[in-house]
Every structure is written in structure tokens, then in C-alpha cells.
Amino acid sequence: MSWAAHEFENYFIQKHAGIKISFLGLAIGTLSPDLFTKSLVYNSDDPAMFHRGWPGVGFSHSLIFGVALALLVLWATRSRSWSLGILIGQWAHVFTDVADTAGVMPFFPFSTEPVTISMWRHAASEGRYGDAAAYYSSLGGMWDLFWLVVLVLVARRTLSAEYFRTTILPADPGAWAWLHRRTGLGERGLLTLYRGLCFYGAGRMVSWFIYARFGARTPFQPLWNGPSYLSSYNDLSDAGPLEVVWRTTLGGVLFAGFLWLVWRLVGSRLWLRGIDPPSVERSRTFF
Amino acid sequence: MPDSPRREALAWAAAFVAYVALGYWTKGLVLNWIVGPLFPLFVLILIPRALGGRNSR
């Protein structure tokens, strides 16, 4: 799992998607795989299996879960920017979590084979604090740092007041206006709320890193498949590389077919009755 | 929140240091997806507004 990369990725995605997606939708989509399951993970008998496997709640880290959420939101709200935001955010979370040893089942239920590049060890079996210490002793912490650097170098403009005013608000005027009415927050308050996710990611990264070094005092081992002081890998599959490739390819083909069918039967109809933010509709009249 | 960009940056930096210190001290109590993203809103906007309102009365 990633502890802060999920927060930083949102701003990078937003920079490229612009007014087509809702940032609030994107943020909820990114959080959705762990939203209601993470607190239960540390209390389960087999945390890795419960979190990412099947049987367990591993389906929350599959692409089909994002499709289902996006369709549900499109049906309920008719908002295309929210639906797209949730889909892209959830998929970004899935692809990011491929990096730890537990991996994800991207093509569940067509393949329950976990896909992983084993960059760092999934350490939920160590408990919440032990998990944090292990993550910030491995390449996981470096992965968070990488995304923070990408955000600063490539997408820092997304944190500016002007970007918030010209892109974030017009992409989702209804939700921000609702927040303004319900909370009484002005533009500064809403901007602070928007920046909050980045603040949270950076703060979480630094706090847990300091905890790993000076609280838990775990050895810093940012090497592939680290940290080596953990005895368990938490790899959920015994299959060899060829078997994983075969099963995942088959699952991917079946998922693509399922996606096409869902689009033809349900998705396209919901999309056609969906509505864009006024700014997107206005821009269409110009081009 | 302060008006000038420099003061605003300083306020964000101070909030960040406070969050990291609180995070290290209390861990899961503030380092979670509810308190974390709302922390700057409370520290930079809502609490100063409430204190300002009380002082002005």
C-alpha cells in the first residue's frame, strides 16, 4: 500500500485532466479502495489476504470496483466530471498498489491472481505502527517522495489560487457552491480545503518517517523487496511468473469484453443523459 | 489567514510543523484521512476566525 503517494497523484492527474474531472470526485475515488476497509485490515487474522486477496475485500482494489462506483455516481448524480474523477482516482490507486508484495487483483473477478512488482513488502501483519515503520524504511517511502517531487516540479501550479479559481471551481461548481453554502467558507477557506489533501500527504510522510527513524528505530533499507528485517513477504500467490502473466492476460481480455458490454448496455446510456459542468459545455461551443 | 503571500507561506509552514509534531506524538489520532486534510482548514481559517470573532466582541 502507499501511504502518501495516493494524495500527491491527485494533483498530477488533475493537471492533465483540467476541467473535465472533479477534484472532489478524484479525491474520493483515490481514497475509495481503503475508505472503509483499512481500519479492519489490522484486526484480521491474515491482513494481506483480507486487504488485497479473495476471499477478502481485495475486490476494492480492482478496476471493476472503480467502474461500478463511477456508474453508480453517474446514475445518481448525472455528473460526468464526478463519475470520471472517481473512475480515474480509483484506477490510479489500483495501479499504485501493484508496487507492494501483496499486489492487487486488477481484473477481479475474471482473474483472482495478484499482480505485483514487489518493490516493497506489504507489512500490515506488523500492525498499524509496524506497517508505517516498515513502509518508511523501504522503497515505499521513496515512492511517496518521488510523487511529492513530481508534484513540486510538474504540477505545483495546481496548488495556486489562480488554478483553483480557473480550473477546480469551474470543473465542479455545484459541489463547491454547496460546500460554500453549508459551511460559510469563502474562496480562501475552500482553497485551503482543496490544498488539504496535499498537506495531509506531506505531513503524514514526514511524521511517519520520523517515527520510523526515532520511534520504532527500524533500519532504513530502501532496496528492492525491502525492508529485509521483515521475515514475511506477504506475497499472496505461489504461482510462477508465466502463470501470473497467463492468468492476468486472460483476466484482462475478459475484463475488456465485460467493459465493452457494460458500456453498450448501461454506460453509454448513462453517459448520454449525464451533464458536464457549464464550463465544459461552454468550451464545446467554441470548438 | 494572513494577507501577504509571505505571511501566508509562513502560516502554512507553521501549520505543517505543528501537524508533523502532533502526528509524531499522537500518530493515528491526527494522521488519518479525516483529520489530516481538514487540519489546515481548522488551524489557518476556522480557529483564527473564531478567536477574531471573540476578540472583536
Side-chain angles (χ1 to χ4, degrees), chain A residues 257-275:
Chain A
F258 174 77
L259 209 57
W260 177 82
L261 203 64
V262 166
W263 176 253
R264 289 296 299 267
L265 295 176
V266 188
S268 58
R269 288 179 202 177
L270 290 176
W271 187 259
L272 282 175
R273 68 181 272 274
I275 42 175

Side-chain angles (χ1 to χ4, degrees), chain A residues 67-206:
Chain A
V67 173
L69 279 182
L71 285 175
L72 192 67
V73 166
L74 186 58
W75 170 75
T77 67
R78 296 176 65 188
S79 170
R80 289 177 178 171
S81 66
W82 264 78
S83 177
L84 269 181
I86 282 180
L87 182 74
I88 294 171
Q90 199 272 347
W91 281 20
H93 188 121
V94 172
F95 290 124
T96 303
D97 281 358
V98 162
D100 67 34
T101 50
V104 295
M105 304 179 291
F107 304 123
F108 177 90
F110 305 104
S111 166
T112 53
E113 188 62 47
V115 177
T116 169
I117 58 169
S118 299
M119 205 163 144
W120 62 85
R121 294 184 191 186
H122 187 281
S125 54
E126 302 294 307
R128 184 176 167 83
Y129 296 172
D131 190 8
Y135 182 79
Y136 285 104
S137 300
S138 71
L139 276 180
M142 296 296 103
W143 185 239
D144 284 355
L145 184 63
F146 166 78
W147 277 103
L148 180 61
V149 171
V150 166
L151 170 61
V152 171
L153 292 181
V154 182
R156 64 179 175 277
R157 198 170 65 86
T158 59
L159 293 169
S160 71
E162 192 203 347
Y163 188 87
F164 179 71
R165 201 176 298 128
T166 57
T167 306
I168 301 300
L169 288 178
D172 194 4
W176 289 106
W178 181 84
L179 275 172
H180 167 66
R181 284 195 306 273
R182 297 292 294 186
T183 61
L185 290 172
E187 187 183 293
R188 271 187 166 176
L190 296 176
L191 173 64
T192 306
L193 192 63
Y194 163 68
R195 287 172 174 166
L197 209 60
C198 177
F199 178 94
Y200 166 53
R204 194 185 198 203
M205 187 178 88
V206 175

